[in-house]
Amino acid sequence: MMKKWINKVLIFVLALSLIPFSAQALENPFPSLGERDGGIGDGTNFLDDAPVISLDTKVNQIIYPLFSTPAIKKSGETLTLKIDTQGKKAGEWSVKLKQTNHSSITKDYTLPVQSVKEGASHWKDSSSIQDVTVQIPEGTPEKLYDLEVTYTGNGRRITDKQPHSVKVIDEYKKDFDFLHVTDTHIGSPRNLGDPEDPSSLSLALARETGMWNPNPEKRWLYLQKAIKEVNLKNPDFVVITGDLMFGQLNPQEYIYEYEETYKMLQKLNVPVYIVPGNHDYYAQDFTLADGAKYWEKYFGPQYFSFDYGPYAHFIGYNSFDWHKIDRSGNGTVSVPTWGGQIREEQLNWIKQDLQKNAETAQSGQVRGLFSHHNPLWRDRDIWPQDDPDVQKFWKQYDEQHNPQSLGTLLLGEKLGIKYDQQWHGENAQALVDVMKNYDVTVSLHGHTHIDDVTTQDGILYTTTTAIELTGKPWVGFRDFKVKDGQIASYQYDESGHSIPVYQNGDTIGGVMSLEADYSQPNDGSAQSQEVTVTNRLNKPQKVTIPLYMKEGTYKTTKGTITQNVQSDGKQDLQVVITVPANSEETFNVIQ
């Protein structure tokens, strides 16, 4: 979403004092320039060894599964990991599941190695990828785990970890739930006041924003509240469709925004699949800060697919698939292109993936695609045809089918500010045709910060409002329920809206729609616990409450205990309870 140039300048001035500039980032802000290229950060203009590229690379030897592309597997099944040994001869493998940062216990689970063979990756260009197949032991408790891989490479032990990258389950459910979250925009100053009036400042919204608040419990409070509600709903998985951060205030902000975003999203205690949006992928030529390069280092692939057992196959793709020059800013806040596009390489991969899935898919499988931009909403259709500038733009665009001349880029930005940019480039109809040909069920998108539901040719296209406080009609996320191979529910009300994060959509009030309060610290030190769950929504809500108690035998006064594991002198419990609309339920867990 873009605003007039003066608004962007005012936003920049307002937020500049709030941004924690990195000394490392400012050390060499204008290194020597090389020639521009059309890739995603491999040209001389974005050097791998430039000190401003990344503070802490997250994707190293493990390239699958990742935090952003986790594996969901039943206990007793095998799982094939992809490990890039980075040119080293590897052996003596050790693979473990470890507890996540959410857990108060420390028990590990060793995954026996079944085989090791040469492998390959569609997104990682390396000749030293190993496919390491392991088995998940029967009886491994059902929960989300970190993955740890250790091996000997050229005579020394090497260890790599990926947080929240393996979800072990007892069974794949034919009837399952998933959530769609989008446009979290960490670092966005638009949260601080009326987005149509950047000079405004609301103290209540500033509190909810928590913009770079030194207290971690209050930083990005709006996002923390949304994450708490997602965790309570405990879906089988979550998809996030980009614009994780703001990325448009200054050339260096990706250095700290990517790091902050990565840490914040780990507050989610469910498997999460993540694709980029335009705000995550801008390129600032004069400072080597290419968002696409950061994405690869923090989240890995820009497109991928995953299965939920035999019941679902999903593809996450990058709808901001532009040449670097098209998504390059002018050193500060101005960017010429923020609309959608995919190029031939990615489109062909999607076709091949759907074809491969079709060869084994069972009847009733849900097939979904998710990306930031909706391919139904095309600038060529939306922009008024009687505007001479619009006519001029498409004439120039059609001469090259990538607006890489400066004049075309600037005209596209001018029209984008006037009319906005939705799907701005290539292959929208081609992608829609591919989805029709392979009987895709659902297509999930963000970008516009509004809720919208459209059905076309049997495909459900849903756009979901933002988690950023600019979301309309409210801040929210979308809840999908699948029954008997069909999407049975996907809207909070008859208007097609998402679930509001705040009571009645009131961000100023700051009251959560769904929350749980514990009477005692939930850290394994208590022998009894009282929990009050408050549901301020107009529909009943089934929630999952995690509890860590002293080791013992426990029962609950309401709800059902669905997990009960002893470890480290503690009891790891989960209680599932349904709370009626606009009410609260209190239950006690006692010995």
Side-chain angles (χ1 to χ4, degrees), residues 178 305 311-317 347 349-355 357-358 361-362 364-371 374-376 429-445 454-462 480 485-487:
F178 66 94
S305 65
Y311 300 122
H313 181 76
F314 277 79
I315 294 174
Y317 66 96
L347 180 63
W349 184 91
I350 291 171
K351 291 179 187 176
Q352 293 165 9
D353 184 88
L354 287 170
Q355 174 61 46
N357 175 70
Q362 69 173 31
Q365 181 195 58
V366 171
R367 285 177 285 280
L369 270 70
F370 57 98
S371 71
N374 189 329
L376 294 184
Q429 187 59 50
L431 178 62
V432 168
D433 290 342
V434 168
M435 290 195 286
K436 287 164 54 179
N437 291 340
Y438 288 98
D439 296 321
V440 166
T441 311
V442 63
S443 188
L444 315 172
H445 309 285
T454 303
T455 300
Q456 180 174 300
D457 297 317
I459 301 171
L460 175 66
Y461 293 85
T462 63
F480 291 83
Q486 301 291 324
I487 295 178

Side-chain angles (χ1 to χ4, degrees), residues 99-106 522-524 548 567-568 570:
Q99 303 293 329
T100 70
N101 55 322
H102 292 272
S103 180
S104 291
I105 60 178
T106 60
N522 190 31
D523 58 6
Y548 295 99
S567 178
D568 304 331
K570 298 176 183 178

Side-chain angles (χ1 to χ4, degrees), residues 32 116 183 199 228 240 320 366-367 433 458 499 508:
S32 60
V116 180
D183 293 83
S199 63
K228 286 178 180 177
I240 302 182
F320 196 57
V366 171
R367 285 177 285 280
D433 290 342
I499 294 176
I508 296 291

Side-chain angles (χ1 to χ4, degrees), residues 14 16 39 48 80 84 118 123 130 132 211 226 291 299 315 382-383 400 445 460 536:
L14 173 65
L16 191 61
D48 288 337
T80 298
D84 182 6
E118 290 187 7
W123 74 272
Q130 301 292 305
V132 181
M211 191 163 183
F299 297 110
I315 294 174
I382 296 171
W383 289 0
Q400 55 197 356
H445 309 285
L460 175 66
R536 301 183 179 94

